[in-house]
Coordinates of all heavy atoms in Angstrom, one line a residue:
A293 N 15.2 19.1 -181.6 CA 15.6 18.7 -180.3 C 14.3 18.4 -179.5 O 13.3 18.9 -179.8 CB 16.4 19.8 -179.6
S294 N 14.5 17.5 -178.6 CA 13.3 17.1 -177.8 C 13.7 16.7 -176.4 O 14.9 16.4 -176.1 CB 12.6 15.9 -178.5 OG 11.4 15.5 -177.8
T295 N 12.7 16.6 -175.5 CA 12.9 16.2 -174.2 C 11.9 15.1 -173.9 O 10.8 15.2 -174.2 CB 12.7 17.3 -173.2 OG1 13.6 18.4 -173.5 CG2 13.0 16.9 -171.7
V296 N 12.4 14.0 -173.3 CA 11.5 12.8 -173.0 C 11.7 12.4 -171.6 O 12.9 12.4 -171.1 CB 11.9 11.7 -174.0 CG1 13.3 11.2 -173.9 CG2 10.9 10.5 -173.9
L297 N 10.7 12.0 -171.0 CA 10.7 11.5 -169.6 C 10.8 10.0 -169.7 O 9.9 9.3 -170.1 CB 9.5 11.9 -168.8 CG 9.5 11.8 -167.3 CD1 10.6 12.7 -166.7 CD2 8.2 12.2 -166.7
L298 N 11.9 9.4 -169.2 CA 12.2 8.0 -169.4 C 11.5 7.2 -168.2 O 11.3 7.7 -167.1 CB 13.7 7.7 -169.2 CG 14.6 8.3 -170.3 CD1 16.1 8.0 -170.1 CD2 14.2 7.8 -171.7
P299 N 11.1 6.0 -168.5 CA 10.4 5.2 -167.5 C 11.3 4.8 -166.3 O 10.8 4.6 -165.2 CB 9.9 3.9 -168.2 CG 10.8 3.9 -169.5 CD 11.1 5.3 -169.8
Y300 N 12.6 4.8 -166.5 CA 13.6 4.4 -165.5 C 14.7 5.4 -165.4 O 15.5 5.5 -166.4 CB 14.1 3.0 -165.7 CG 13.0 1.9 -165.7 CD1 12.6 1.4 -166.9 CD2 12.5 1.5 -164.5 CE1 11.5 0.5 -167.0 CE2 11.4 0.5 -164.6 CZ 11.0 0.0 -165.8 OH 10.0 -0.9 -165.8
R301 N 14.8 6.1 -164.4 CA 15.9 7.1 -164.2 C 17.2 6.4 -164.0 O 17.3 5.4 -163.4 CB 15.6 8.1 -163.0 CG 14.3 8.9 -163.2 CD 14.4 10.1 -162.3 NE 15.5 11.0 -162.7 CZ 16.0 11.9 -161.8 NH1 15.6 12.0 -160.6 NH2 17.0 12.7 -162.2
F302 N 18.3 7.0 -164.5 CA 19.6 6.4 -164.4 C 20.6 7.4 -163.8 O 21.8 7.0 -163.7 CB 20.1 5.9 -165.7 CG 20.2 6.9 -166.8 CD1 21.4 7.7 -167.0 CD2 19.2 7.2 -167.7 CE1 21.5 8.6 -167.9 CE2 19.3 8.2 -168.7 CZ 20.5 8.9 -168.8
S303 N 20.2 8.5 -163.4 CA 21.1 9.5 -162.8 C 20.4 10.3 -161.7 O 19.2 10.6 -161.9 CB 21.7 10.4 -163.9 OG 22.4 11.5 -163.3
D304 N 21.1 10.7 -160.7 CA 20.5 11.6 -159.7 C 20.6 13.0 -160.1 O 20.0 13.9 -159.4 CB 21.3 11.4 -158.4 CG 21.1 10.0 -157.8 OD1 20.0 9.4 -158.0 OD2 22.0 9.5 -157.1
E305 N 21.2 13.3 -161.2 CA 21.3 14.7 -161.7 C 19.9 15.2 -162.1 O 19.1 14.5 -162.7 CB 22.2 14.8 -162.9 CG 23.6 14.4 -162.6 CD 24.5 14.4 -163.9 OE1 24.0 14.8 -164.9 OE2 25.6 13.9 -163.8
V306 N 19.6 16.5 -161.8 CA 18.4 17.1 -162.3 C 18.7 18.4 -163.1 O 19.7 19.0 -162.8 CB 17.4 17.4 -161.1 CG1 16.9 16.1 -160.5 CG2 18.1 18.3 -160.1
N307 N 17.9 18.7 -164.0 CA 18.1 19.9 -164.8 C 17.6 21.1 -164.0 O 16.7 21.0 -163.2 CB 17.3 19.8 -166.1 CG 17.7 18.6 -167.0 OD1 18.9 18.4 -167.2 ND2 16.8 17.8 -167.4
K308 N 18.2 22.3 -164.3 CA 17.8 23.5 -163.7 C 16.7 24.1 -164.5 O 16.8 24.4 -165.7 CB 19.0 24.5 -163.6 CG 20.1 24.0 -162.7 CD 21.3 24.9 -162.8 CE 21.1 26.3 -162.3 NZ 22.3 27.1 -162.4
V309 N 15.6 24.4 -163.9 CA 14.4 25.0 -164.6 C 14.0 26.3 -164.0 O 13.9 26.4 -162.8 CB 13.2 23.9 -164.5 CG1 12.0 24.5 -165.3 CG2 13.6 22.6 -164.9
L310 N 13.7 27.2 -164.9 CA 13.2 28.5 -164.5 C 11.7 28.6 -164.7 O 11.2 28.2 -165.8 CB 13.9 29.7 -165.2 CG 13.5 31.1 -165.0 CD1 14.8 32.0 -165.2 CD2 12.4 31.6 -165.8
V311 N 11.0 29.2 -163.8 CA 9.5 29.3 -163.9 C 9.1 30.8 -164.0 O 9.4 31.5 -163.1 CB 8.8 28.6 -162.8 CG1 7.2 28.8 -162.9 CG2 9.1 27.1 -162.7
F312 N 8.4 31.1 -165.1 CA 7.9 32.5 -165.2 C 6.5 32.6 -164.7 O 5.6 31.9 -165.2 CB 7.9 32.9 -166.7 CG 9.3 33.2 -167.3 CD1 9.8 32.4 -168.3 CD2 10.0 34.3 -166.9 CE1 11.0 32.7 -168.8 CE2 11.2 34.6 -167.5 CZ 11.7 33.8 -168.4
T313 N 6.3 33.4 -163.7 CA 4.9 33.6 -163.2 C 5.0 34.9 -162.3 O 6.0 35.2 -161.7 CB 4.4 32.5 -162.3 OG1 3.1 32.8 -161.9 CG2 5.2 32.2 -161.2
E314 N 3.9 35.6 -162.3 CA 3.8 36.8 -161.5 C 2.8 36.6 -160.3 O 2.5 37.5 -159.6 CB 3.4 38.0 -162.3 CG 4.4 38.5 -163.3 CD 4.1 39.7 -164.1 OE1 3.0 39.8 -164.6 OE2 4.9 40.6 -164.2
D315 N 2.2 35.4 -160.3 CA 1.3 35.0 -159.2 C 2.1 34.5 -158.0 O 2.8 33.5 -158.2 CB 0.3 34.0 -159.7 CG -0.7 33.7 -158.7 OD1 -0.5 32.8 -157.8 OD2 -1.8 34.2 -158.7
E316 N 2.0 35.0 -156.9 CA 2.8 34.6 -155.7 C 2.5 33.2 -155.3 O 3.3 32.4 -154.8 CB 2.6 35.6 -154.5 CG 3.5 35.3 -153.4 CD 5.0 35.2 -153.8 OE1 5.4 36.0 -154.6 OE2 5.7 34.3 -153.3
Q317 N 1.2 32.8 -155.4 CA 0.8 31.4 -155.0 C 1.5 30.4 -156.0 O 2.0 29.4 -155.5 CB -0.7 31.3 -155.0 CG -1.2 29.9 -154.5 CD -2.7 29.8 -154.4 OE1 -3.4 30.8 -154.7 NE2 -3.2 28.7 -154.0

C-alpha cells in the first residue's frame, strides 16, 4: 500500500491524521 500526493486535487475531503508528540510546542 502507498500514499501519494497528486499534483491536482480532485476532492475537498481530507484524511484524519493523528500526531504523536509529547512536546507542547
Side-chain angles (χ1 to χ4, degrees):
S294 182
T295 303
V296 61
L297 198 60
L298 299 177
Y300 300 100
R301 295 200 66 201
F302 60 87
S303 173
D304 293 330
E305 299 174 6
V306 292
N307 301 311
K308 295 172 64 176
V309 184
L310 180 150
V311 177
F312 287 111
T313 179
E314 293 183 312
D315 183 279
E316 186 51 43
Q317 185 175 359

